Amino acid sequence: MKVTGPIPGENFTSDTKNYPWHRPPQYTSLDDAIDGAAKQLLSEDASDGMVILLQAGMDIATLTDMYVTSGIMSGKWTPDFAILIAGPISHIIYLMAKAYDIECDLGIDLPKESRTKAYFDAVKMDKKKVDDIINVIDSMGEELPQVIEQKATGFMAGMPQAPQEQAAIATGIMGSLNQAGAMPNALPTTPEEGM
Amino acid sequence: MAVTFEDAVRKSMRAYWINTRDYDAMTSNKGKNRKYTKQYFDDIENEMVGKKPKDKKELEKEYK
């Protein structure tokens, strides 16, 4: 039998200190890490690539994720530290996009701001205007349904038909059953029938 | 529900951009003042593109 996989416990004997993420991180202070990241992001090579990706439409959250992950791989910071500096790194990338007049999307859904008192005071309707509108509607009287019918479009277009007319033009299952006499006409055609 | 590393990065970004006290508490430097705060980057942005429109808190103060 040929054994091709690792032996259980082999990881404890293998030399893993050569991996950058297994060594102590380069940065442990937030300010030092942001300073180092800013210097690298604003260098000629890195900034060219970043701007090209922003111009291509990539959102800032994805770019931030790529950058902090590459920092973990190169041993600059630990994964939890990378999550902490994600915000400031995204702000640096946002400012780079602003500097080049590139329209960018943060890639995160910011919460909607709640309405303030100033907003509600501004939309508070003047009582006099409301009374004027009501008076106009009352003065139209019988003309109002005709005006609505003339102006109504789409789903609301057309006044509702009388029950007799609806039964006469019934289609589908109800129409065929009604014609065959299988179902009594549920809609009374005269007031006496309805009583 | 499993949270991926990318989800955690986006969540941290959300906390940073909406200026939560949780983010400030997470990143406090044992009482020392941090240099690179959101206000620092906002000031740089104001120098670059001009002053940003006032936010809700500033407008509320003026309204009163």
Side-chain angles (χ1 to χ4, degrees), chain A residues 30-31 35 59 61-62 65 69 72 79 83-84 86-88 90-92 94-95 98-99 106-111 113-114 116 118 121, chain B residues 5-6 8-14 16-18 23 26-27 29 33-38 41-42 44-45 48-49 52 55-56 60 63:
Chain A
L30 208 63
D31 284 339
D35 199 30
D59 59 272
T62 308
D65 181 39
T69 306
I72 296 169
I83 292 170
L84 277 180
S90 67
H91 210 152
I92 294 172
Y94 172 79
L95 290 174
K98 277 271 187 181
L106 270 178
I108 55 175
D109 296 324
L110 293 174
E113 289 191 6
S114 56
T116 62
D121 286 346
Chain B
F5 181 75
E6 189 179 346
V9 166
R10 286 177 192 261
K11 201 170 177 182
S12 172
M13 278 177 61
R14 206 172 286 123
Y16 172 85
W17 282 96
I18 63 174
Y23 186 82
M26 272 196 308
T27 54
N29 191 10
N33 290 329
R34 277 182 40 230
K35 181 182 174 188
Y36 297 113
T37 57
K38 189 168 186 299
F41 291 112
D42 285 341
I44 293 176
E45 188 180 350
M48 276 169 55
V49 296
K52 278 196 297 191
D55 64 356
K56 188 180 84 171
E60 279 285 303
Y63 181 69

Side-chain angles (χ1 to χ4, degrees), chain A residues 42-97:
Chain A
L42 297 171
S43 66
E44 200 171 324
D45 294 333
S47 61
D48 284 348
M50 198 64 74
V51 170
I52 288 168
L53 288 172
L54 283 166
Q55 191 78 285
M58 194 174 277
D59 59 272
I60 292 178
T62 308
L63 285 171
T64 306
D65 181 39
M66 280 167 51
Y67 182 74
V68 298
T69 306
S70 71
I72 296 169
M73 284 169 54
S74 53
K76 287 184 186 167
W77 42 67
T78 55
D80 48 351
F81 197 86
I83 292 170
L84 277 180
I85 62 167
I89 299 290
S90 67
H91 210 152
I92 294 172
I93 298 172
Y94 172 79
L95 290 174
M96 287 170 68

Side-chain angles (χ1 to χ4, degrees), chain A:
Chain A
M1 186 176 72
K2 199 174 179 183
V3 176
T4 55
I7 304 166
E10 187 177 338
N11 60 320
F12 295 113
T13 59
S14 60
D15 183 17
T16 59
K17 291 204 189 300
N18 284 335
Y19 291 137
W21 57 86
H22 283 173
R23 291 195 288 269
Q26 181 180 350
Y27 296 113
T28 52
S29 160
L30 208 63
D31 284 339
D32 292 343
I34 295 170
D35 199 30
K39 281 180 186 163
Q40 189 187 12
L41 281 170
L42 297 171
S43 66
E44 200 171 324
D45 294 333
S47 61
D48 284 348
M50 198 64 74
V51 170
I52 288 168
L53 288 172
L54 283 166
Q55 191 78 285
M58 194 174 277
D59 59 272
I60 292 178
T62 308
L63 285 171
T64 306
D65 181 39
M66 280 167 51
Y67 182 74
V68 298
T69 306
S70 71
I72 296 169
M73 284 169 54
S74 53
K76 287 184 186 167
W77 42 67
T78 55
D80 48 351
F81 197 86
I83 292 170
L84 277 180
I85 62 167
I89 299 290
S90 67
H91 210 152
I92 294 172
I93 298 172
Y94 172 79
L95 290 174
M96 287 170 68
K98 277 271 187 181
Y100 282 94
D101 283 332
I102 299 171
E103 282 189 21
C104 55
D105 178 26
L106 270 178
I108 55 175
D109 296 324
L110 293 174
K112 291 181 188 174
E113 289 191 6
S114 56
R115 302 294 183 189
T116 62
K117 186 176 181 299
Y119 174 83
F120 288 114
D121 286 346
V123 301
K124 188 170 65 175
M125 286 186 74
D126 191 5
K127 188 175 181 305
K128 186 178 179 306
K129 285 183 187 173
V130 172
D131 291 339
D132 291 342
I133 292 169
I134 292 172
N135 290 337
V136 166
I137 293 172
D138 288 339
S139 65
M140 290 178 81
E142 294 177 353
E143 297 174 358
L144 187 60
Q146 295 172 9
V147 171
I148 291 173
E149 189 177 353
Q150 286 168 7
K151 292 190 183 296
T153 56
F155 181 71
M156 297 305 290
M159 297 298 286
Q161 295 167 333
Q164 295 86 344
E165 293 171 357
Q166 287 179 357
I169 60 171
T171 56
I173 296 174
M174 297 307 289
S176 57
L177 287 173
N178 201 16
Q179 286 171 7
M183 285 191 61
N185 189 358
L187 298 167
T189 53
T190 60
E192 290 77 14
E193 288 180 18
M195 290 173 67

